[in-house]
Amino acid sequence: MENQKERLIANNKKAWHDYTMEERFETGIELKGTEVKSCRLGHCSIKEAFVRIVKDEVWIYGMHINPYEKGNIFNRDPLRPRKLLMHRSEIRKLIGKIATKGYTLVPLKVYLKGKHIKVEIALAKGKKLYDKRQDLAKKDQKRDMERAMKERYR
């Protein structure tokens, strides 16, 4: 069970730009029939998605799952809120940390693990504008250094 293959379905690159990740959690997701088929085909997006805790339950909002082509009447609303499955102790821990100013829950990726669809969420803190600039500068510097090393060893 440890070495299950993971296949990425959707990735949230913008989250890494806007937030610093403190702690990550792997959660299950409650999907209806045709949503599972659509996710397996890779028709899923979490670019505009966010996570909230409502009445001791974790929900993801704004996650878009395209309707399954062959699903006809069984298709659900593509943007409906979906419940994330976590242990109660983890949820209580998150509630305590979110009460701290500046923390939020951000979906990072949706992936297939074995036969289950999983969502990775993170406890994150928003970056300031100067933090974003620093990260971009570091990224550019690293890219320039790699380019110089590549040219040097030609």
Side-chain angles (χ1 to χ4, degrees):
M1 216 79 180
E2 278 296 312
N3 273 344
Q4 291 182 335
K5 286 193 80 163
E6 288 184 8
R7 185 175 67 104
L8 190 66
I9 297 172
N11 197 0
N12 190 356
K13 290 181 184 177
K14 192 175 181 212
W16 291 100
H17 179 72
D18 293 339
Y19 299 97
T20 53
M21 307 307 160
E22 300 287 321
E23 201 172 344
R24 293 195 215 168
F25 299 91
E26 180 182 76
T27 67
I29 185 167
E30 190 176 81
L31 297 173
K32 305 295 181 195
T34 56
E35 291 177 329
V36 176
K37 292 181 177 187
S38 192
C39 273
R40 286 180 184 275
L41 292 174
H43 301 299
C44 174
S45 172
I46 56 171
K47 284 181 183 163
E48 302 296 320
F50 59 95
V51 179
R52 293 279 179 264
I53 298 177
V54 181
K55 296 180 184 173
D56 289 345
E57 291 180 335
V58 184
W59 292 83
I60 187 167
Y61 296 89
M63 178 179 174
H64 188 276
I65 298 178
N66 286 352
Y68 185 60
E69 291 113 31
K70 299 173 185 114
N72 59 43
I73 62 167
F74 299 108
N75 283 329
R76 300 284 202 272
D77 176 28
L79 287 171
R80 75 179 182 85
R82 294 168 180 89
K83 187 176 178 181
L84 296 179
L85 310 172
M86 293 180 80
H87 291 285
R88 187 134 339 265
S89 60
E90 286 180 316
I91 295 172
R92 286 195 193 109
K93 181 178 171 185
L94 284 176
I95 290 171
K97 294 218 176 170
I98 288 177
T100 310
K101 190 175 183 285
Y103 283 103
T104 186
L105 289 173
V106 179
L108 297 179
K109 63 182 178 178
V110 178
Y111 56 96
L112 209 57
K113 185 174 182 180
K115 62 179 182 174
H116 301 289
I117 295 173
K118 301 284 185 178
V119 178
E120 185 175 330
I121 63 173
L123 185 66
K125 197 169 197 146
K127 284 185 184 176
K128 303 280 187 240
L129 186 61
Y130 58 84
D131 289 334
K132 292 179 190 178
R133 286 187 188 134
Q134 271 182 336
D135 285 351
L136 284 173
K138 284 180 187 175
K139 202 174 181 180
D140 288 343
Q141 195 175 29
K142 185 178 176 187
R143 192 180 312 120
D144 290 342
M145 195 165 24
E146 285 175 357
R147 194 177 294 135
M149 293 296 282
K150 192 175 181 182
E151 288 176 10
R152 185 176 181 192
Y153 291 108
R154 278 190 178 176

